[in-house]
Amino acid sequence: MKHSDIQKLLPEVYQRGLQTGKPLDALLDVMIGMFSPSETVLEKIDTYFSPYTAPDAFVRYLAKWVDLDRYLGTTTERSSSSQLAPVVIEPGRLRELVAKAAELSQWRGTAKGLQVFLETATGVRGFIIDEAVTDKDSTKRVFHILIRAPQAASQYQQLITRIVNGEKPAYVTYELEFSQI
């Protein structure tokens, strides 16, 4: 707020005091200084709610809004009271995940959803979700999937494991293998 804007909000007796003395002027200058940081944020508040324009520090907060913090290790695991070790995701990857959160939740529990989630989180393309896994004797393993990840994604193994455990149906078991695809 500007000095003149605050002055208009004051009772008339204070407005007259501003014309005759300096103490009230100094008080208004302090008020302007106090409100300045808040006003700066409020002028561009719409940029905070888009993952592409929000400041880096705020993107992690947006991730909590769309329930992605369970993969980042910023919340306690649902099945235990222990804190998960934080996982570092590049800011650009995290922005993409937050932007795609609604789409990802629609496909949750499906091979397509898991593949899109993993590719978005790691930035590596080429994940293959095999739902027709067979044993050595050619019998089909029901409720079991094989996730073939590109070798380039091996550095994200901890994140991939968290995502698979959180996105696959609870009754499904899985294997994860990294290979040159």
Side-chain angles (χ1 to χ4, degrees):
M1 284 187 118
K2 297 177 187 161
H3 193 279
S4 59
D5 293 337
I6 296 174
Q7 186 176 349
K8 291 176 189 173
L9 298 173
L10 295 173
E12 188 177 329
V13 68
Y14 287 117
Q15 290 180 20
R16 283 195 306 256
L18 282 169
Q19 296 165 359
T20 60
K22 289 289 183 191
L24 200 49
D25 261 344
L27 182 60
L28 287 183
D29 289 339
V30 169
M31 288 176 67
I32 291 168
M34 287 174 52
F35 290 117
S36 181
S38 299
E39 287 179 350
T40 303
V41 170
L42 289 174
E43 285 173 0
K44 56 181 182 173
I45 193 71
D46 56 322
T47 64
Y48 278 75
F49 301 106
S50 168
Y52 297 117
T53 58
D56 285 345
F58 200 75
V59 175
R60 288 188 80 81
Y61 187 66
L62 290 176
K64 288 182 180 184
W65 284 8
V66 293
D67 200 28
L68 291 174
D69 56 334
R70 58 195 162 125
Y71 302 122
L72 304 175
T74 55
T75 187
T76 56
E77 190 173 13
R78 289 172 177 21
S79 62
S80 73
S81 60
S82 64
Q83 184 81 4
L84 290 173
V87 173
V88 177
I89 298 180
E90 296 91 17
R93 296 281 101 226
L94 187 56
R95 288 177 190 277
E96 285 295 323
L97 278 174
V98 171
K100 283 189 172 184
E103 176 189 348
L104 292 171
S105 68
Q106 289 176 336
W107 291 102
R108 189 165 187 206
T110 66
K112 176 185 177 178
L114 184 57
Q115 180 184 8
V116 171
F117 203 124
L118 291 171
E119 289 179 351
T120 304
T122 62
V124 179
R125 302 286 175 247
F127 283 84
I128 298 172
I129 313 298
D130 185 0
E131 298 178 286
V133 181
T134 57
D135 283 332
K136 292 176 184 165
D137 61 352
S138 297
T139 57
K140 186 173 182 201
R141 295 181 67 182
V142 293
F143 306 120
H144 186 80
I145 59 174
L146 173 62
I147 301 161
R148 291 189 180 98
Q151 189 63 39
S154 63
Q155 63 182 333
Y156 302 107
Q157 184 170 356
Q158 182 184 14
L159 176 62
I160 291 169
T161 302
R162 282 190 193 170
I163 291 170
V164 171
N165 285 328
E167 295 300 311
K168 70 173 183 59
Y171 55 86
V172 173
T173 58
Y174 74 96
E175 295 172 62
L176 173 63
E177 69 178 39
F178 294 94
S179 58
Q180 298 294 339
I181 298 175

